[in-house]
Amino acid sequence: MTATGTVVPGRVGVVGLGLIGGSFARALHRGGTEVLAWNRTRSIYELARVETVDGELEGDAVGTCELIVLTTYPAHSVAWLEEHARLVSPDAVVIDACGVKRGPCGRCLAVAREHGFAFVGAHPMAGTQYSGFAHARADLFEGAPLVLCPPPGDPVENLALLDRVAGLLAPCGFGSVTVATPEEHDGEIAHTSQLAHVVSSAYVKSPRAASRKGFSAGSWRDLTRVASLNAPMWSELFLANADNLVDEIDLIVGHLTEYRDAIAAGDREALEALLEEGNRAKEEADR
Amino acid sequence: MTATGTVVPGRVGVVGLGLIGGSFARALHRGGTEVLAWNRTRSIYELARVETVDGELEGDAVGTCELIVLTTYPAHSVAWLEEHARLVSPDAVVIDACGVKRGPCGRCLAVAREHGFAFVGAHPMAGTQYSGFAHARADLFEGAPLVLCPPPGDPVENLALLDRVAGLLAPCGFGSVTVATPEEHDGEIAHTSQLAHVVSSAYVKSPRAASRKGFSAGSWRDLTRVASLNAPMWSELFLANADNLVDEIDLIVGHLTEYRDAIAAGDREALEALLEEGNRAKEEADR
């Protein structure tokens, strides 16, 4: 069996029905899109089949999708695509939703070129501290930033491709689309998301965390919100972006040590200067 | 002139009309309490006088207050009390609102004993990243935890005193009252609040923060919210709690280094174990 090239316009295939895949399925279904899906755990697929998913993403059905969204962990997303590439229509576009882009984009793009379909790296900047289909929501992506990493090549051709992806994802209601190289994406994400999870996880390990009731308000809650995380998934993402993330951890440890030394020395002038620098950096980042 | 001891029942004096003092004044005024106030910047006092404050906290008027709330920086709160102690009625109770308790409680309690009025250390666990009377709100304390540090001594006598303070502050709508020693308070607060401000301030100093637009969502926003802060005030608070805060910074730097080393070594098993430990610590702290 080979791909026929006859896609059903607008039909979307979703690989993985976790928080992200489930939210794609729910948002697209709500918007009137026909959604096929694959999920490792059969009972979750069957649950989704009741009101969100129109059919199974398997065999010939793969070739009928105009858009395929890979939402499982990076290594699995690549493996699924390698295994199913011969079924994907040359008229289709495949995107992933991995939290790192260098590795998955490079490998998926190679597979796509070999089989003649289009591939665009994608990272929807949305999520919660919860995972799984039970927490998936049709409005998870509403207003959220979407990062797209097009293949290197003709910018005009890429624009048409990005436009097509954005159009197919319109029911998700993303708030912005940012185009970046995988390298730019992975550098920024190490700071904006991965470091946040590492710092939160480290923050709650103080013995004082367990006795914080009655002594804590908004700051503690915000600093520790993402300490609750899916450890296997984040481990995979951290190791796939180790260079950038180690760089970010070294930076924040260096800065923390400056505050520490000023406080230990009772140096009020130095401490105020460090805090004022933080004010300026925050203001610049929010501009 | 000496204090007459004739307080006007329920009348409250507020020292300082910043975010915290202004919010006390607004909340108490909204609840029907008569509020006198002092503020260093005269124009702010006059602004507050229009609809929140009933008169000036000065001279004989000091002796008419049943409750006096010190809301300026720690060093100034102590200085104000030392200067006005002879005017305070022996029937009055004075509380502070400082973010550290060991220093201010010790000194204010000594002054109170010398002059025969009651003193209770207080820390309303509320605030925003903004400061000043313009941001003060009548509902700032609604549902927030209030920490009270009674003087060492007869627990039964203290209970009556704490009950009296809680009653006078009832219009503020605090969500809980936690009784602690100044030492317990300062240890916990170093973790729940002071460390959060240090970490946020350090977090935004990565060069990648300035180019984060389009690549960041809720985690970055939460981790950096309190990076915008009043540098002179927080410097005073950090230095007044240097031992505990240095301890907390050392702890988080130690933990961050463990993640860093596991990531740099590509040790997935160690990394997952560190993240799972964070999950357990978060769960325990939220129990």
Side-chain angles (χ1 to χ4, degrees), chain A residues 73 125-126 145-147 176 178-180 184-236 238-239 241-253 255-260 262-268 271-279 281-287, chain B residues 73 125-126 145-147 176 178-180 184-236 238-239 241-253 255-260 262-268 271-279 281-287:
Chain A
Y73 294 9
M125 302 290 306
L146 173 66
V147 181
S176 68
T178 300
V179 178
E184 288 167 345
H185 170 276
D186 287 4
E188 279 301 327
I189 223 65
H191 172 66
T192 58
S193 168
Q194 296 190 330
L195 182 66
H197 289 77
V198 171
V199 168
S200 258
S201 185
Y203 200 108
V204 288
K205 290 184 174 176
S206 163
R208 285 167 176 140
S211 46
R212 56 115 196 154
K213 285 278 167 65
F215 297 94
S216 72
S219 307
W220 189 87
R221 192 185 52 227
D222 282 359
L223 266 287
T224 64
R225 185 178 59 83
V226 291
S228 246
L229 48 73
N230 178 330
M233 184 187 80
W234 284 100
S235 295
E236 185 171 332
F238 290 170
L239 293 181
N241 201 19
D243 52 348
N244 289 315
L245 184 52
V246 165
D247 200 34
E248 282 292 317
I249 298 175
D250 286 345
L251 273 169
I252 196 169
V253 164
H255 286 123
L256 286 169
T257 304
E258 291 177 358
Y259 294 87
R260 186 233 181 262
I263 294 165
D267 188 341
R268 181 156 177 172
L271 183 55
E272 272 196 46
L274 289 170
L275 293 171
E276 292 292 8
E277 264 172 42
N279 280 337
K282 172 69 170 158
E283 204 182 325
E284 197 185 331
D286 282 343
R287 196 175 290 155
Chain B
Y73 293 8
M125 301 291 306
L146 173 66
V147 181
S176 67
T178 300
V179 178
E184 287 167 344
H185 170 275
D186 287 3
E188 278 300 327
I189 222 66
H191 172 66
T192 58
S193 168
Q194 297 191 329
L195 182 66
H197 289 78
V198 170
V199 168
S200 258
S201 185
Y203 200 108
V204 288
K205 289 184 175 178
S206 162
R208 285 170 176 137
S211 46
R212 58 124 195 143
K213 286 276 169 65
F215 297 94
S216 70
S219 308
W220 190 88
R221 190 185 56 229
D222 282 359
L223 266 287
T224 65
R225 184 177 60 82
V226 292
S228 245
L229 48 73
N230 178 330
M233 183 185 83
W234 283 100
S235 295
E236 186 171 330
F238 291 169
L239 293 181
N241 201 21
D243 52 348
N244 289 316
L245 184 52
V246 165
D247 200 34
E248 281 292 318
I249 299 176
D250 287 345
L251 273 170
I252 197 171
V253 165
H255 286 124
L256 286 170
T257 304
E258 291 177 357
Y259 294 87
R260 185 235 181 261
I263 295 164
D267 188 341
R268 181 156 178 173
L271 183 54
E272 272 196 45
L274 290 170
L275 293 171
E276 292 292 9
E277 265 172 39
N279 280 338
K282 172 69 170 157
E283 203 183 328
E284 195 184 334
D286 282 342
R287 196 172 292 155

Side-chain angles (χ1 to χ4, degrees), chain B residues 22-166:
Chain B
S23 294
F24 269 117
R26 287 193 198 275
L28 293 166
H29 174 82
R30 184 188 59 176
T33 297
E34 204 184 350
V35 176
L36 308 187
W38 173 92
N39 194 64
R40 190 200 312 258
T41 306
R42 182 77 192 171
S43 58
I44 297 293
Y45 168 77
E46 277 160 7
L47 181 68
R49 185 74 179 77
V50 176
E51 47 180 35
T52 306
V53 166
D54 300 288
E56 197 149 16
L57 184 68
E58 248 193 14
D60 283 346
V62 172
T64 68
C65 291
E66 187 180 356
L67 173 70
I68 294 175
V69 187
L70 310 171
T71 75
T72 51
Y73 293 8
H76 182 273
S77 284
V78 172
W80 190 95
L81 191 63
E82 284 171 348
E83 195 181 322
H84 296 80
R86 62 187 177 82
L87 300 172
V88 177
S89 164
D91 295 334
V93 52
V94 176
I95 67 173
D96 73 327
C98 296
V100 289
K101 299 262 67 79
R102 285 175 299 178
C105 278
R107 293 178 61 189
C108 290
L109 198 57
V111 174
R113 281 186 172 146
E114 187 188 335
H115 290 84
F117 56 84
F119 175 81
V120 175
H123 184 189
M125 301 291 306
T128 72
Q129 61 272 51
Y130 307 108
S131 52
F133 184 73
H135 295 105
R137 303 193 324 251
D139 65 355
L140 185 71
F141 305 122
E142 268 172 26
L146 173 66
V147 181
L148 292 179
C149 299
D154 182 351
V156 175
E157 215 171 281
N158 272 343
L159 264 188
L161 177 60
L162 295 177
D163 196 50
R164 189 168 162 219
V165 171

